[in-house]
Amino acid sequence: MPIRDIISGMSTIPIDATPNGISNKPFAGMLINTKLIVPPAKSKMLPRTHLVDRLSSGKDAKLIIVSGVAGSGKTSLVCQWIRRDALPVAWYSLDRADNDPDVFFRYLLSALGKMDRSLAVVAEPWLQGQKRLTGEETVALLAGHFSDVDRDIYLVLDDYHLIDAEEIRKWLSDLLDYMPPKLHIVVISRHAASASMSRFRVRGQMMEIAPSEMKFTEGETEEFFSEIMPVELSADQVRELARYTDGWVAGLQLFGLSQKRKGSVDTLGDVLNRTCRESTDYLVHEVIGSEKEDVRHFLRTTALLERFNADLSIEVTGLPKAPEILDYVLRNDLFLIPLDTEGVWFRYHHLFSKAVREQAKGSSLSVAHQTYRKAALWLARNDYLEDAFRSAFASEDMEFAADLVEDYVRYMHDRHDPASPVRWLKKLPHKIFSERALLRLEEFSHKMESFQFNEIDAVLDDIAKNREQAFGRYEGSKRTLSEDFFTFLTYVRAYYYRSPAHANIGKLNEGCRLISKENELFISYIKIFMAWSYLLKGDLALSDSVLREASSIVFSSWSQWVRMVWYRSVSMVERMRGNLHRAETILQEAFALLDSSGLSDTPLKFMLYMPMAWVCYHRNDLDNARYYALGAARYGERSAFTRDLLESNLLLTLVCMGQGDTSGADRYLREMRRVYRGVTPPGPGISPDPWIVRFSMIDGDTRYAVQWFEERKFSMDKPFSLGFLHDARNRAELLYRQGSYEESTRILEKLRRLCVDRQMMEAVLEIDLLDCAVLYMLGDSDRAKDEMEKVLRRAETEGYVRLCINRAALLLPLWLEMADTLENPKGASYLNVILSAVKDGSGLEAGWSESRGTRKIKPAGKSVAGLTPREMDVLELMASGCRDREIAEKMFISFHTVRTHVKRIFEKLGVKTRGQAIRRADELDTSSNNQ
């Protein structure tokens, strides 16, 4: 019979139609059973007003769920709410015996009968009868009886997590569907809402307090120990105790009771140890001891691990049905905490796992060590190397731990963070570490990459002198690996000791020939070193050729690390060739490879951040350039990779200058200099000095540049390299700023030929920009405009914006002349893009104000747009390129007064930037002269 039909006919069911006869169970007397009584109020409970208020605000919901771990205060919270709001409650405390549907529905009727005498009368024959009660009849009876009730009634089901009978869960769900609005069900459980209940959340008919909300906050912990269970604790002790117990109320109570007996606390460690000791008996005996043997074994084994999943639980427990037990532990909230939304990885509450570990120390230490070894091997096989090493060291078998590190340290370096292997190497006892050549070479490799040259030569020298002893412990492929690794480091060491641009290519090729085919991954590294050496020499063709040669080894290897290094190198070559689109495409391909390999969230991605930052910077996407450069800087700091630190701080300096953040630019430039000073010898190939020369000239101070070139004895006859390119470009700019235009253009012409020969088209673009400024100052404006049109077309093709903006200080007069006369719509369009970027503040503010000596705002003694003579003086100095502090010094007035003048000039001219002010003043002055 359908439930809807039963409900509609329930009011007409006569008493004699209900079950009759006498039951063997005294359910008539069950109305006074303690299962159906609201727990008595404790003498003192911490008022959890914010949670009680939430319950009160949601009291009209059909279903109210309060869930949390054992001992989290769920029942106490509901009792506080009931008493504060004086709610009419039918209370039913459940236990495992209530999984019998007959028992459950009899107690359910008894509980509600306590609240409603008429229901008790109707239900009495049912309770006295011998026929088993069914959910269909009981739900129909309740839905029909309460259909006209005129007051709210709350049915509380305490410890509902103990009910796992599907029949009961189904009929309770039906009761929720058909019960009248005035009847509300309050579920107290260790579990969150089940799937059948969660649909009421979607309908807006459910209110819930989640397990995370049941945890005591730091403030509540402090209040608990000051008001409820007075114990003298410092603020630090309270804070750490709250973190350590994870807000678990029972743990705090156990500690408080123990502390009352002890009387005082001396240290924070004393606090935490006492909490653990007092919780151990409760957790081990009350929680674990009450379970079946296989569940006890599962808990005692898996709780030793920091995290685990179903497969790992099978490995360490030896139980084929471990996943089913895991599900049981989770459903019964035995202090198990999911670590992901998919429910794959888990850990136990800190106190629970520590209690199990403490017990293992006293009774089954060898079993615990065996568990750690099993876990370490499984984790390593499945590529969870951090967890594997952690378990290996927890086994306290240092030889086992050293073996595992030795077998997997290269994979960890490849897939994760280069700093991580070094961290684990340092944990090994010195004696064990010193006897293992592979581990010593791994440490040497990281220190070399970090330019930590002190004492590392002694490592290679020692291994070379005692070669047989060093490699004698290894056999087969491991022996070959150790010897090839030694050969690789021996030959690439020189690459770091000198500037990479001067690396001995012949020696590097010799190293490639000595490495076995079995370990040709080392050959690919050497090839990439060679490519970088060619790149720094400015020979992009050879660099590209070597990278292509290495690609077959790179992509046939297991190493994602070397692939990312290869992608990074190829992208750099393409960008220097002026192929900005191609450079970005290569990087996107690398990101996609990481994503398809499941490595998109590993530190490997940071290998690509620095070249991507350069791409964004050249496109004038400064926000993304900063994002990628900051990521690269953090990676450089964590891995101690000097090259990444230098390059990222350089780019961050440029980005800050472009965004007008002078303090940020100064900070990053100082950091770059600090890192560079710490490198001995200075081999990374990225010196801050040429950039400092350039930045000082941008600021209008050529003194540093003059001194620098005098000390360097610059000559255009030196061998070509990226360092030479920087020096020559800076020299040409210095000569321009000194008015030596003919000499400047001679340098630029020769430098351009050298760069064209080497396919360095990005450098050619920047050289041509400076050359256009020189031509303009030489009075050859027509040629300057023609050349600038060509530059703009090339820049637009690849999306170069920043190179143009950075020369705005020198090129603005030329651009303004061209803006209205360009016949080529494409060139004119891109010029407007550049000018708009400068006006909008995307470029250096100096772009509008540093045309030193090239512009005049007014004839002497003439005013513009009502500006006062003093304001005209300020505007004149602005146009000559002076900053506010320079203006203050030249006019002998305060910096604050200058800022006031500038503000008034902007208001009178109706502009917002210095560049706009200068241009507007020109326009007004020209208009006045024409009149």
Side-chain angles (χ1 to χ4, degrees):
M1 185 176 186
I3 185 76
R4 208 174 288 277
D5 294 341
I6 294 177
I7 293 172
S8 63
M10 182 55 68
S11 60
T12 62
I13 294 178
I15 293 293
D16 56 10
T18 60
N20 49 45
I22 304 298
S23 172
N24 292 327
K25 299 177 182 179
F27 273 91
M30 202 58 72
L31 296 177
I32 59 171
N33 191 288
T34 55
K35 290 168 65 70
L36 309 180
I37 297 177
V38 179
K42 296 180 181 179
S43 55
K44 293 180 75 175
M45 290 190 298
L46 181 68
R48 308 202 71 183
T49 307
H50 66 292
L51 294 180
V52 173
D53 288 344
R54 283 202 51 213
L55 288 169
S56 186
S57 64
K59 65 183 179 182
D60 292 332
K62 196 175 256 192
L63 175 63
I64 299 165
I65 296 180
V66 178
S67 57
V69 300
S72 60
K74 304 181 294 294
T75 301
S76 295
L77 173 64
V78 173
C79 288
Q80 284 186 31
W81 171 45
I82 289 171
R83 293 189 175 94
R84 193 192 75 171
D85 290 7
L87 302 176
V89 171
W91 191 281
Y92 183 2
S93 294
L94 298 153
D95 57 38
R96 295 207 176 275
D98 295 310
N99 277 290
D100 182 334
D102 181 50
V103 174
F104 177 85
F105 291 120
R106 288 176 184 272
Y107 273 119
L108 185 65
L109 288 175
S110 297
L112 288 166
K114 287 173 62 66
M115 288 300 305
D116 190 309
R117 183 58 190 164
S118 62
L119 175 62
V121 172
V122 172
E124 185 174 359
W126 293 55
L127 299 176
Q128 296 293 344
Q130 292 182 338
K131 180 181 177 181
R132 289 178 61 83
L133 297 187
T134 66
E136 184 178 40
E137 294 172 325
T138 306
V139 170
L141 171 64
L142 295 177
H145 180 82
F146 287 109
S147 60
D148 297 325
V149 71
D150 58 357
R151 62 168 181 158
D152 288 294
I153 294 178
Y154 294 84
L155 170 63
V156 179
L157 300 177
D158 195 5
D159 287 335
Y160 182 71
H161 55 272
L162 297 175
I163 299 299
D164 49 26
E166 285 302 319
E167 182 181 349
I168 294 175
R169 289 178 174 270
K170 174 185 178 299
W171 285 109
L172 184 63
S173 178
D174 285 342
L175 177 59
L176 285 164
D177 276 327
Y178 295 109
M179 70 185 190
K182 292 294 185 179
L183 183 59
H184 313 276
I185 295 181
V186 181
V187 170
I188 303 175
S189 175
R190 294 181 185 177
H191 305 157
S194 63
S196 62
M197 289 182 173
S198 60
R199 57 199 169 97
F200 295 102
R201 182 191 300 117
V202 178
R203 299 175 186 173
Q205 297 174 326
M206 185 172 82
M207 185 270 165
E208 55 186 325
I209 303 291
S212 59
E213 297 176 274
M214 291 304 302
K215 297 176 182 179
F216 268 27
T217 64
E218 185 181 316
E220 287 178 316
T221 301
E222 183 177 3
E223 187 178 356
F224 177 81
F225 286 121
S226 63
E227 302 295 333
I228 306 303
M229 193 171 286
V231 174
E232 290 188 10
L233 295 173
S234 68
D236 286 342
Q237 289 172 331
V238 170
R239 190 179 305 111
E240 190 62 19
L241 187 57
R243 186 199 66 79
Y244 187 69
T245 59
D246 202 18
W248 182 43
V249 180
L252 298 173
Q253 289 173 328
L254 289 168
F255 167 76
L257 291 170
S258 169
Q259 191 56 38
K260 277 189 171 183
R261 295 194 297 270
K262 184 176 183 294
S264 65
V265 175
D266 298 323
T267 66
L268 183 58
D270 189 17
V271 172
L272 301 183
N273 289 334
R274 181 169 295 278
T275 304
C276 182
R277 287 196 302 272
E278 294 301 327
S279 304
T280 298
D281 285 344
Y282 174 84
L283 293 169
V284 172
H285 299 296
E286 296 296 326
V287 177
I288 298 179
S290 62
E291 298 296 335
K292 300 177 190 177
E293 174 55 35
D294 56 352
V295 178
R296 290 202 300 271
H297 174 63
F298 180 93
L299 292 171
R300 286 175 175 146
T301 305
T302 55
L304 293 169
L305 309 177
E306 293 205 10
R307 67 171 185 148
F308 67 97
N309 61 18
D311 291 335
L312 180 53
S313 70
I314 296 174
E315 182 76 14
V316 297
T317 63
L319 298 171
K321 63 176 183 178
E324 289 81 1
I325 298 175
L326 171 60
D327 184 60
Y328 168 83
V329 172
L330 181 63
R331 282 189 292 105
N332 287 277
D333 206 9
L334 294 179
F335 290 87
L336 190 63
I337 300 173
L339 296 177
D340 50 55
T341 56
E342 294 79 16
V344 176
W345 287 92
F346 302 88
R347 73 165 175 86
Y348 289 98
H349 189 289
H350 297 304
L351 282 174
F352 185 85
S353 56
K354 188 161 186 178
V356 172
R357 290 168 194 165
E358 290 296 322
Q359 186 190 43
K361 286 181 182 179
S363 59
S364 54
L365 190 57
S366 61
V367 174
H369 289 170
Q370 185 180 6
T371 298
Y372 286 127
R373 285 192 290 270
K374 286 181 181 178
L377 292 172
W378 185 92
L379 289 162
R381 288 196 305 271
N382 289 275
D383 205 24
Y384 301 109
L385 297 180
E386 276 285 342
D387 299 90
F389 292 164
R390 195 175 295 114
S391 290
F393 280 88
S395 74
E396 299 184 8
D397 184 344
M398 291 299 106
E399 290 290 352
F400 169 77
D403 285 339
L404 196 72
V405 172
E406 201 168 59
D407 288 342
Y408 287 96
V409 68
R410 279 276 95 194
Y411 291 92
M412 186 176 219
H413 179 283
D414 177 70
R415 305 294 291 275
H416 298 88
D417 192 331
S420 296
V422 176
R423 177 163 45 83
W424 290 110
L425 294 177
K426 289 179 179 178
K427 291 180 179 291
L428 288 170
H430 176 72
K431 184 177 185 303
I432 293 177
F433 172 77
S434 62
E435 292 172 349
R436 295 173 180 262
L438 268 177
L439 298 184
R440 296 176 71 191
L441 292 172
E442 182 63 41
E443 183 185 51
F444 180 100
S445 174
H446 182 267
K447 286 186 175 181
M448 187 173 65
E449 192 67 44
S450 306
F451 293 87
Q452 302 174 40
F453 296 117
N454 294 336
E455 300 181 4
I456 65 172
D457 281 342
V459 175
L460 290 187
D461 293 341
D462 179 61
I463 292 176
K465 290 176 183 176
N466 303 283
R467 191 182 183 95
E468 187 54 41
Q469 180 181 353
F471 301 136
R473 69 177 293 119
Y474 306 120
E475 297 178 354
S477 60
K478 206 167 185 179
R479 170 76 180 245
T480 305
L481 172 64
S482 61
E483 291 180 334
D484 286 342
F485 197 3
F486 174 76
T487 300
F488 164 74
L489 293 175
T490 300
Y491 277 87
V492 301
R493 169 173 51 171
Y495 173 88
Y496 289 89
Y497 271 84
R498 305 174 63 203
S499 171
H502 302 107
N504 189 323
I505 302 298
K507 279 289 186 183
L508 291 175
N509 276 317
E510 180 182 324
C512 289
R513 290 191 293 272
L514 293 175
I515 293 173
S516 67
K517 183 75 172 176
E518 185 179 345
N519 295 302
E520 63 180 0
L521 182 62
F522 291 127
I523 298 176
S524 69
Y525 278 117
I526 293 178
K527 294 291 185 183
I528 292 173
F529 285 138
M530 292 167 61
W532 271 92
S533 181
Y534 285 130
L535 185 148
L536 292 171
K537 290 176 182 178
D539 196 333
L540 300 188
L542 275 176
S543 182
D544 180 67
S545 175
V546 173
L547 288 170
R548 289 178 183 275
E549 183 183 343
S551 63
S552 60
I553 302 175
V554 168
F555 287 94
S556 63
S557 75
W558 50 265
S559 176
Q560 295 288 4
W561 171 270
V562 74
R563 292 179 189 179
M564 294 306 109
V565 176
W566 185 88
Y567 274 117
R568 174 172 172 159
S569 305
V570 174
S571 174
M572 181 71 168
V573 171
E574 291 297 334
R575 183 175 65 78
M576 292 181 68
R577 281 175 162 172
N579 300 328
L580 203 58
H581 292 309
R582 175 64 181 150
E584 183 180 24
T585 299
I586 289 167
L587 293 173
Q588 294 295 356
E589 183 181 324
F591 278 119
L593 176 61
L594 288 180
D595 190 47
S596 64
S597 304
L599 298 170
S600 57
D601 290 329
T602 68
L604 273 178
K605 66 182 179 182
F606 294 115
M607 293 291 295
L608 309 173
Y609 271 33
M610 198 62 247
M612 184 59 82
W614 280 112
V615 170
C616 294
Y617 175 75
H618 283 301
R619 292 215 170 113
N620 203 37
D621 183 359
L622 299 185
D623 289 338
N624 275 321
R626 179 189 283 265
Y627 168 79
Y628 285 114
L630 283 172
R634 287 193 292 269
Y635 172 74
E637 290 171 0
R638 187 167 61 250
S639 59
F641 280 4
T642 305
R643 196 188 308 275
D644 291 82
L645 275 174
L646 288 168
E647 193 173 359
S648 58
N649 278 289
L650 167 61
L651 187 53
L652 285 167
T653 301
L654 293 171
V655 168
C656 287
M657 291 180 69
Q659 293 178 328
D661 181 4
T662 54
S663 62
D666 290 342
R667 182 174 70 255
Y668 289 120
L669 184 58
R670 285 197 303 271
E671 178 62 15
M672 184 183 178
R673 297 181 72 176
R674 183 194 67 77
V675 174
Y676 191 78
R677 283 196 300 268
V679 177
T680 306
I686 303 175
S687 169
D689 293 338
W691 292 97
I692 295 172
V693 170
R694 183 170 179 178
F695 297 154
S696 67
M697 288 191 290
I698 289 175
D699 284 338
D701 184 359
T702 60
R703 291 171 298 179
Y704 181 83
V706 170
Q707 180 183 350
W708 193 80
F709 278 110
E710 286 177 353
E711 294 173 353
R712 296 269 294 189
K713 295 182 173 55
F714 171 78
S715 170
M716 285 296 291
D717 296 326
K718 288 184 177 181
F720 191 91
S721 68
L722 292 191
F724 170 82
L725 172 61
H726 280 295
D727 290 349
R729 199 164 48 201
N730 282 341
R731 180 63 177 168
E733 182 170 346
L734 175 61
L735 291 169
Y736 168 89
R737 292 180 180 274
Q738 291 175 329
S740 301
Y741 304 123
E742 296 285 355
E743 189 176 354
S744 176
T745 197
R746 282 196 295 271
I747 290 177
L748 291 173
E749 286 175 0
K750 182 173 182 179
L751 187 61
R752 189 183 196 278
R753 286 195 302 272
L754 292 171
C755 289
V756 169
D757 291 342
R758 289 163 174 78
Q759 303 176 18
M760 300 181 68
M761 302 314 294
E762 185 176 280
V764 170
L765 186 62
E766 193 167 9
I767 290 167
D768 286 349
L769 285 165
L770 181 56
D771 192 43
C772 286
V774 175
L775 291 172
Y776 186 73
M777 295 308 297
L778 285 170
D780 194 351
S781 60
D782 290 339
R783 185 182 168 196
K785 291 175 184 177
D786 290 341
E787 292 299 321
M788 180 56 65
E789 282 195 63
K790 296 175 185 177
V791 170
L792 291 174
R793 285 197 293 272
R794 295 204 309 272
E796 184 174 19
T797 299
E798 291 296 330
Y800 280 99
V801 176
R802 193 71 229 172
L803 288 180
C804 300
I805 294 175
N806 286 347
R807 290 303 186 190
L810 311 181
L811 293 168
L812 186 61
L814 172 62
W815 288 344
L816 293 177
E817 284 189 22
M818 294 175 65
D820 299 324
T821 60
L822 273 179
E823 296 181 0
N824 187 317
K826 190 172 182 181
S829 173
Y830 205 63
L831 177 57
N832 287 332
V833 169
I834 303 299
L835 289 173
S836 296
V838 178
K839 289 179 183 179
D840 292 342
S842 299
L844 297 174
E845 183 181 2
W848 285 90
S849 62
E850 287 189 5
S851 304
R852 301 178 187 279
T854 64
R855 310 188 64 198
K856 289 291 181 182
I857 294 300
K858 61 177 182 66
K862 189 171 180 179
S863 181
V864 175
L867 300 183
T868 66
R870 182 55 61 93
E871 289 167 353
M872 289 299 300
D873 291 336
V874 171
L875 184 58
E876 180 72 9
L877 289 170
M878 285 169 57
S880 70
C882 292
R883 304 297 179 95
D884 290 349
R885 292 196 181 279
E886 292 175 293
I887 295 172
E889 292 172 1
K890 291 178 182 294
M891 295 183 65
F892 299 99
I893 58 178
S894 71
F895 175 77
H896 177 73
T897 301
V898 172
R899 298 302 297 269
T900 301
H901 284 313
V902 170
K903 181 179 179 182
R904 288 174 180 167
I905 290 170
F906 285 5
E907 291 173 349
K908 290 180 179 181
L909 296 180
V911 297
K912 294 182 179 180
T913 69
R914 297 163 69 94
Q916 291 173 351
I918 296 166
R919 188 175 183 183
R920 178 63 177 155
D922 268 349
E923 294 169 351
L924 293 173
D925 184 44
T926 301
S927 175
S928 175
N929 288 335
N930 290 337
Q931 292 176 1

